[in-house]
Amino acid sequence: DTAVSQTPKYLVTQMGNDKSIKCEQNLGHDTMYWYKQDSKKFLKIMFSYNNKELIINETVPNRFSPKSPDKAHLNLHINSLELGDSAVYFCASSQVPGHNNQPQHFGDGTRLSIL
Amino acid sequence: DQQVKQNSPSLSVQEGRISILNCDYTNSMFDYFLWYKKYPAEGPTFLISISSIKDKNEDGRFTVFLNKSAKHLSLHIVPSQPGDSAVYFCAAAPWGAQKLVFGQGTRLTINP
């Protein structure tokens, strides 16, 4: 009964390949996010979707394309993988911030390693 | 430009004593602050939050203090327990905004 689940947990692949990471939340949240944790351990937001609509799109190469088939799912597709894409990618979800801010709940991460 | 900074990469505390983790921020638009705890190979887990209208929020052994004039917040854990050993991230956002900005984390080790 994991609240935010992402698959796979580990992904090892060759440079130039295309790969996808899936995320699902069963919390009934309207908003989902993708974060990247780089080698320096900084967690930085990449994208945010609110009810399948893109809300936040940080300065991320267009090789990264998020897709939200419904509000419970936010997948991340990465084309032409590069060495610098090696990182841990975290999915998160939250209620829509309104009068009361709501914390974001995170999945356990996908460690992507590019050979 | 790092808007949220945790200047201590690590902290070691005796079991039963108080752990104090610090965080500084530069963006005066930040109104909502959170602390997350992270174990290895797991995602960050929400711990406690505070809005800028308060200067203190308490939840069991965890208390967060906010000093808006100094743009500083701290997390106090008392008494510290071995299970508190983890990496703690401070995060901030403008009120109502979805974009959290994280610090780089402080690794807390509780020694028996």
Side-chain angles (χ1 to χ4, degrees), chain A residues 95-114:
Chain A
Q95 292 287 18
V96 176
H99 295 292
N100 296 306
N101 260 339
Q102 299 293 328
Q104 295 176 18
H105 298 261
F106 285 79
D108 284 341
T110 296
R111 182 174 293 277
L112 175 62
S113 300
I114 310 301

Side-chain angles (χ1 to χ4, degrees), chain A residues 9-10 31 33 35 37 40-43 45 48 50 55-56 58 90 96-104 106-108, chain B residues 2 4 31-32 34 36 38 41-46 49 89 93-105 107:
Chain A
K9 195 167 177 71
Y10 300 96
T31 308
Y33 313 80
Y35 284 83
Q37 186 180 34
K40 294 183 180 177
K41 305 302 181 188
F42 284 104
L43 261 167
I45 192 165
S48 169
N50 185 355
I55 300 296
I56 295 173
E58 289 295 288
F90 288 98
V96 176
H99 295 292
N100 296 306
N101 260 339
Q102 299 293 328
Q104 295 176 18
F106 285 79
D108 284 341
Chain B
Q2 218 178 311
V4 178
D31 275 276
Y32 178 55
L34 309 91
Y36 281 84
K38 185 183 179 305
E42 293 184 11
T45 302
F46 170 69
S49 65
F89 289 96
W95 190 257
Q98 299 171 345
K99 182 180 170 182
L100 284 182
V101 179
F102 282 82
Q104 65 269 51
R107 181 178 300 278

Side-chain angles (χ1 to χ4, degrees), chain A residues 37-54:
Chain A
Q37 186 180 34
D38 60 22
S39 56
K40 294 183 180 177
K41 305 302 181 188
F42 284 104
L43 261 167
K44 291 184 180 175
I45 192 165
M46 301 172 68
F47 302 102
S48 169
Y49 268 72
N50 185 355
N51 232 343
K52 302 196 298 175
E53 182 184 345
L54 181 65

Side-chain angles (χ1 to χ4, degrees), chain A residues 67-88:
Chain A
K67 285 188 173 47
S68 181
D70 55 62
K71 73 174 193 176
H73 295 83
L74 181 61
N75 304 322
L76 183 65
H77 189 77
I78 316 170
N79 288 329
S80 304
L81 280 157
E82 300 178 357
L83 289 174
D85 298 333
S86 294
V88 182

Side-chain angles (χ1 to χ4, degrees), chain A residues 5-72:
Chain A
S5 60
Q6 45 183 119
T7 54
K9 195 167 177 71
Y10 300 96
L11 187 50
V12 182
T13 189
Q14 302 272 3
M15 206 164 51
N17 284 350
D18 303 339
K19 289 292 178 187
S20 292
I21 307 172
K22 294 185 176 182
C23 180
E24 176 182 3
Q25 55 93 6
N26 62 6
L27 295 166
H29 289 163
D30 294 310
T31 308
M32 296 185 73
Y33 313 80
W34 277 109
Y35 284 83
K36 178 181 180 180
Q37 186 180 34
D38 60 22
S39 56
K40 294 183 180 177
K41 305 302 181 188
F42 284 104
L43 261 167
K44 291 184 180 175
I45 192 165
M46 301 172 68
F47 302 102
S48 169
Y49 268 72
N50 185 355
N51 232 343
K52 302 196 298 175
E53 182 184 345
L54 181 65
I55 300 296
I56 295 173
N57 185 350
E58 289 295 288
T59 310
V60 177
N62 56 15
R63 298 182 295 105
F64 290 78
S65 52
K67 285 188 173 47
S68 181
D70 55 62
K71 73 174 193 176

